[in-house]
PDB file of all heavy atoms in Angstrom:
ATOM      1  N   HIS G  97      17.921 -13.383 -10.070  1.00 98.00           N
ATOM      2  CA  HIS G  97      16.969 -12.838 -11.038  1.00 98.00           C
ATOM      3  C   HIS G  97      17.479 -11.616 -11.797  1.00 98.00           C
ATOM      4  O   HIS G  97      16.825 -11.154 -12.729  1.00 98.00           O
ATOM      5  CB  HIS G  97      15.622 -12.546 -10.357  1.00 98.00           C
ATOM      6  CG  HIS G  97      14.444 -12.885 -11.213  1.00 98.00           C
ATOM      7  ND1 HIS G  97      13.178 -13.027 -10.725  1.00 98.00           N
ATOM      8  CD2 HIS G  97      14.333 -13.104 -12.558  1.00 98.00           C
ATOM      9  CE1 HIS G  97      12.345 -13.322 -11.723  1.00 98.00           C
ATOM     10  NE2 HIS G  97      13.025 -13.367 -12.847  1.00 98.00           N
ATOM     11  N   ASP G 120       6.558 -14.444  -9.449  1.00 96.00           N
ATOM     12  CA  ASP G 120       7.546 -14.046  -8.436  1.00 96.00           C
ATOM     13  C   ASP G 120       6.802 -13.504  -7.217  1.00 96.00           C
ATOM     14  O   ASP G 120       5.724 -12.925  -7.358  1.00 96.00           O
ATOM     15  CB  ASP G 120       8.413 -12.919  -9.059  1.00 96.00           C
ATOM     16  CG  ASP G 120       9.724 -12.673  -8.341  1.00 96.00           C
ATOM     17  OD1 ASP G 120       9.784 -12.830  -7.111  1.00 96.00           O
ATOM     18  OD2 ASP G 120      10.689 -12.282  -9.018  1.00 96.00           O
ATOM     19  N   HIS G 122       8.132 -11.092  -5.712  1.00 96.00           N
ATOM     20  CA  HIS G 122       8.596  -9.704  -5.776  1.00 96.00           C
ATOM     21  C   HIS G 122       8.429  -9.145  -7.188  1.00 96.00           C
ATOM     22  O   HIS G 122       8.538  -9.896  -8.162  1.00 96.00           O
ATOM     23  CB  HIS G 122      10.081  -9.633  -5.407  1.00 96.00           C
ATOM     24  CG  HIS G 122      10.421 -10.343  -4.127  1.00 96.00           C
ATOM     25  ND1 HIS G 122      10.767 -11.684  -4.103  1.00 96.00           N
ATOM     26  CD2 HIS G 122      10.466  -9.912  -2.851  1.00 96.00           C
ATOM     27  CE1 HIS G 122      11.008 -12.040  -2.851  1.00 96.00           C
ATOM     28  NE2 HIS G 122      10.827 -10.998  -2.065  1.00 96.00           N
ATOM     29  N   ASP G 124      10.460  -6.926  -8.618  1.00 98.00           N
ATOM     30  CA  ASP G 124      11.783  -6.721  -9.233  1.00 98.00           C
ATOM     31  C   ASP G 124      11.785  -5.559 -10.218  1.00 98.00           C
ATOM     32  O   ASP G 124      12.397  -5.629 -11.287  1.00 98.00           O
ATOM     33  CB  ASP G 124      12.283  -8.017  -9.897  1.00 98.00           C
ATOM     34  CG  ASP G 124      12.539  -9.129  -8.889  1.00 98.00           C
ATOM     35  OD1 ASP G 124      12.449  -8.871  -7.660  1.00 98.00           O
ATOM     36  OD2 ASP G 124      12.820 -10.260  -9.319  1.00 98.00           O
ATOM     37  N   ASN G 126      12.336  -2.249  -8.947  1.00 98.00           N
ATOM     38  CA  ASN G 126      13.043  -1.094  -8.396  1.00 98.00           C
ATOM     39  C   ASN G 126      13.993  -0.530  -9.439  1.00 98.00           C
ATOM     40  O   ASN G 126      14.522  -1.258 -10.273  1.00 98.00           O
ATOM     41  CB  ASN G 126      13.835  -1.491  -7.146  1.00 98.00           C
ATOM     42  CG  ASN G 126      12.987  -1.432  -5.895  1.00 98.00           C
ATOM     43  OD1 ASN G 126      12.458  -0.378  -5.541  1.00 98.00           O
ATOM     44  ND2 ASN G 126      12.850  -2.573  -5.220  1.00 98.00           N
ATOM     45  N   SER G 131      15.752   1.469  -5.184  1.00 98.00           N
ATOM     46  CA  SER G 131      16.055   0.207  -4.527  1.00 98.00           C
ATOM     47  C   SER G 131      16.428   0.385  -3.059  1.00 98.00           C
ATOM     48  O   SER G 131      17.359   1.114  -2.737  1.00 98.00           O
ATOM     49  CB  SER G 131      17.221  -0.490  -5.243  1.00 98.00           C
ATOM     50  OG  SER G 131      17.621  -1.622  -4.486  1.00 98.00           O
ATOM     51  N   PRO G 132      15.705  -0.296  -2.167  1.00 98.00           N
ATOM     52  CA  PRO G 132      16.043  -0.176  -0.745  1.00 98.00           C
ATOM     53  C   PRO G 132      17.287  -0.985  -0.382  1.00 98.00           C
ATOM     54  O   PRO G 132      17.911  -0.716   0.639  1.00 98.00           O
ATOM     55  CB  PRO G 132      14.807  -0.746  -0.036  1.00 98.00           C
ATOM     56  CG  PRO G 132      14.177  -1.669  -1.028  1.00 98.00           C
ATOM     57  CD  PRO G 132      14.521  -1.121  -2.389  1.00 98.00           C
ATOM     58  N   THR G 133      17.653  -1.952  -1.184  1.00 98.00           N
ATOM     59  CA  THR G 133      18.758  -2.858  -0.851  1.00 98.00           C
ATOM     60  C   THR G 133      19.997  -2.639  -1.719  1.00 98.00           C
ATOM     61  O   THR G 133      21.090  -3.044  -1.328  1.00 98.00           O
ATOM     62  CB  THR G 133      18.334  -4.333  -1.066  1.00 98.00           C
ATOM     63  OG1 THR G 133      17.998  -4.500  -2.454  1.00 98.00           O
ATOM     64  CG2 THR G 133      17.142  -4.694  -0.205  1.00 98.00           C
ATOM     65  N   GLY G 134      19.818  -2.076  -2.895  1.00 98.00           N
ATOM     66  CA  GLY G 134      20.928  -1.957  -3.841  1.00 98.00           C
ATOM     67  C   GLY G 134      21.220  -3.239  -4.603  1.00 98.00           C
ATOM     68  O   GLY G 134      22.130  -3.275  -5.432  1.00 98.00           O
ATOM     69  N   ASN G 135      20.437  -4.292  -4.336  1.00 98.00           N
ATOM     70  CA  ASN G 135      20.659  -5.562  -5.042  1.00 98.00           C
ATOM     71  C   ASN G 135      19.960  -5.535  -6.396  1.00 98.00           C
ATOM     72  O   ASN G 135      18.753  -5.298  -6.474  1.00 98.00           O
ATOM     73  CB  ASN G 135      20.116  -6.731  -4.223  1.00 98.00           C
ATOM     74  CG  ASN G 135      20.800  -6.853  -2.882  1.00 98.00           C
ATOM     75  OD1 ASN G 135      22.008  -6.581  -2.770  1.00 98.00           O
ATOM     76  ND2 ASN G 135      20.053  -7.237  -1.860  1.00 98.00           N
ATOM     77  N   HIS G 137      19.113  -7.860  -8.350  1.00 98.00           N
ATOM     78  CA  HIS G 137      18.053  -8.857  -8.602  1.00 98.00           C
ATOM     79  C   HIS G 137      16.662  -8.333  -8.230  1.00 98.00           C
ATOM     80  O   HIS G 137      15.666  -8.940  -8.630  1.00 98.00           O
ATOM     81  CB  HIS G 137      18.352 -10.197  -7.914  1.00 98.00           C
ATOM     82  CG  HIS G 137      18.052 -10.259  -6.449  1.00 98.00           C
ATOM     83  ND1 HIS G 137      17.754 -11.435  -5.798  1.00 98.00           N
ATOM     84  CD2 HIS G 137      18.020  -9.286  -5.500  1.00 98.00           C
ATOM     85  CE1 HIS G 137      17.540 -11.177  -4.512  1.00 98.00           C
ATOM     86  NE2 HIS G 137      17.706  -9.896  -4.303  1.00 98.00           N
ATOM     87  N   GLY G 138      16.609  -7.215  -7.499  1.00 98.00           N
ATOM     88  CA  GLY G 138      15.323  -6.562  -7.220  1.00 98.00           C
ATOM     89  C   GLY G 138      14.988  -5.469  -8.230  1.00 98.00           C
ATOM     90  O   GLY G 138      14.028  -4.723  -8.023  1.00 98.00           O
ATOM     91  N   GLN G 139      15.760  -5.377  -9.327  1.00 98.00           N
ATOM     92  CA  GLN G 139      15.622  -4.259 -10.277  1.00 98.00           C
ATOM     93  C   GLN G 139      15.461  -4.608 -11.755  1.00 98.00           C
ATOM     94  O   GLN G 139      15.241  -3.705 -12.573  1.00 98.00           O
ATOM     95  CB  GLN G 139      16.858  -3.339 -10.177  1.00 98.00           C
ATOM     96  CG  GLN G 139      17.194  -2.880  -8.773  1.00 98.00           C
ATOM     97  CD  GLN G 139      18.541  -2.169  -8.688  1.00 98.00           C
ATOM     98  OE1 GLN G 139      19.024  -1.588  -9.656  1.00 98.00           O
ATOM     99  NE2 GLN G 139      19.169  -2.219  -7.526  1.00 98.00           N
ATOM    100  N   ASP G 177       5.307  -9.222  -1.929  1.00 94.00           N
ATOM    101  CA  ASP G 177       6.290  -8.443  -1.171  1.00 94.00           C
ATOM    102  C   ASP G 177       6.822  -7.337  -2.084  1.00 94.00           C
ATOM    103  O   ASP G 177       7.893  -7.461  -2.669  1.00 94.00           O
ATOM    104  CB  ASP G 177       7.415  -9.372  -0.688  1.00 94.00           C
ATOM    105  CG  ASP G 177       8.414  -8.657   0.211  1.00 94.00           C
ATOM    106  OD1 ASP G 177       8.134  -7.508   0.634  1.00 94.00           O
ATOM    107  OD2 ASP G 177       9.480  -9.238   0.478  1.00 94.00           O
ATOM    108  N   ASP G 179       7.829  -3.350  -2.661  1.00 97.00           N
ATOM    109  CA  ASP G 179       8.261  -2.152  -1.935  1.00 97.00           C
ATOM    110  C   ASP G 179       7.351  -0.970  -2.287  1.00 97.00           C
ATOM    111  O   ASP G 179       6.807  -0.909  -3.381  1.00 97.00           O
ATOM    112  CB  ASP G 179       9.711  -1.804  -2.309  1.00 97.00           C
ATOM    113  CG  ASP G 179      10.685  -2.914  -1.934  1.00 97.00           C
ATOM    114  OD1 ASP G 179      10.466  -3.565  -0.893  1.00 97.00           O
ATOM    115  OD2 ASP G 179      11.649  -3.143  -2.696  1.00 97.00           O
ATOM    116  N   GLU G 182       7.977   0.575  -5.520  1.00 96.00           N
ATOM    117  CA  GLU G 182       7.594  -0.325  -6.622  1.00 96.00           C
ATOM    118  C   GLU G 182       6.090  -0.234  -6.887  1.00 96.00           C
ATOM    119  O   GLU G 182       5.652  -0.235  -8.041  1.00 96.00           O
ATOM    120  CB  GLU G 182       7.972  -1.766  -6.287  1.00 96.00           C
ATOM    121  CG  GLU G 182       9.465  -2.027  -6.278  1.00 96.00           C
ATOM    122  CD  GLU G 182       9.766  -3.503  -6.082  1.00 96.00           C
ATOM    123  OE1 GLU G 182       9.346  -4.070  -5.051  1.00 96.00           O
ATOM    124  OE2 GLU G 182      10.431  -4.096  -6.951  1.00 96.00           O
ATOM    125  N   ASP G 214      10.567 -16.985 -10.839  1.00 98.00           N
ATOM    126  CA  ASP G 214      11.384 -17.015  -9.627  1.00 98.00           C
ATOM    127  C   ASP G 214      10.805 -18.103  -8.723  1.00 98.00           C
ATOM    128  O   ASP G 214       9.603 -18.095  -8.436  1.00 98.00           O
ATOM    129  CB  ASP G 214      11.311 -15.642  -8.943  1.00 98.00           C
ATOM    130  CG  ASP G 214      12.277 -15.496  -7.770  1.00 98.00           C
ATOM    131  OD1 ASP G 214      12.436 -16.468  -7.001  1.00 98.00           O
ATOM    132  OD2 ASP G 214      12.853 -14.406  -7.623  1.00 98.00           O
ATOM    133  N   ASP G 216      10.793 -18.368  -5.768  1.00 98.00           N
ATOM    134  CA  ASP G 216      10.155 -17.845  -4.549  1.00 98.00           C
ATOM    135  C   ASP G 216       8.697 -17.431  -4.755  1.00 98.00           C
ATOM    136  O   ASP G 216       8.024 -17.016  -3.801  1.00 98.00           O
ATOM    137  CB  ASP G 216      10.992 -16.749  -3.871  1.00 98.00           C
ATOM    138  CG  ASP G 216      10.947 -15.383  -4.545  1.00 98.00           C
ATOM    139  OD1 ASP G 216      10.013 -15.094  -5.316  1.00 98.00           O
ATOM    140  OD2 ASP G 216      11.863 -14.581  -4.272  1.00 98.00           O
ATOM    141  N   THR G 228      15.163 -15.049  -0.789  1.00 98.00           N
ATOM    142  CA  THR G 228      14.206 -14.114  -0.187  1.00 98.00           C
ATOM    143  C   THR G 228      12.808 -14.748  -0.138  1.00 98.00           C
ATOM    144  O   THR G 228      11.892 -14.319  -0.835  1.00 98.00           O
ATOM    145  CB  THR G 228      14.157 -12.787  -0.978  1.00 98.00           C
ATOM    146  OG1 THR G 228      13.922 -13.069  -2.372  1.00 98.00           O
ATOM    147  CG2 THR G 228      15.456 -12.014  -0.849  1.00 98.00           C
ATOM    148  N   GLU G 259      16.789 -18.288  -8.841  1.00 98.00           N
ATOM    149  CA  GLU G 259      16.809 -18.103  -7.375  1.00 98.00           C
ATOM    150  C   GLU G 259      16.719 -19.393  -6.565  1.00 98.00           C
ATOM    151  O   GLU G 259      16.407 -19.349  -5.371  1.00 98.00           O
ATOM    152  CB  GLU G 259      15.750 -17.078  -6.919  1.00 98.00           C
ATOM    153  CG  GLU G 259      15.928 -15.666  -7.508  1.00 98.00           C
ATOM    154  CD  GLU G 259      17.031 -14.825  -6.856  1.00 98.00           C
ATOM    155  OE1 GLU G 259      17.643 -15.289  -5.868  1.00 98.00           O
ATOM    156  OE2 GLU G 259      17.292 -13.699  -7.361  1.00 98.00           O
TER     157      GLU G 259
HETATM  158  N1  LIG H 301      12.305  -5.699  -3.317  1.00 72.20           N
HETATM  159  C1  LIG H 301      13.515  -6.089  -2.675  1.00 72.20           C
HETATM  160  C2  LIG H 301      14.707  -5.430  -3.339  1.00 72.20           C
HETATM  161  O1  LIG H 301      14.554  -4.624  -4.199  1.00 72.20           O
HETATM  162  C3  LIG H 301      13.669  -7.601  -2.697  1.00 72.20           C
HETATM  163  C4  LIG H 301      13.918  -8.187  -4.022  1.00 72.20           C
HETATM  164  C5  LIG H 301      14.037  -9.688  -3.962  1.00 72.20           C
HETATM  165  C6  LIG H 301      14.314 -10.276  -5.285  1.00 72.20           C
HETATM  166  N2  LIG H 301      14.344 -11.723  -5.267  1.00 72.20           N
HETATM  167  O2  LIG H 301      15.813  -5.715  -3.016  1.00 72.20           O
END
Side-chain angles (χ1 to χ4, degrees):
H97 219 163
D120 197 327
H122 310 89
D124 295 354
N126 274 300
S131 172
T133 61
N135 299 325
H137 79 154
Q139 308 171 26
D177 185 11
D179 298 325
E182 290 186 301
D214 188 320
D216 76 20
T228 53
E259 299 283 356

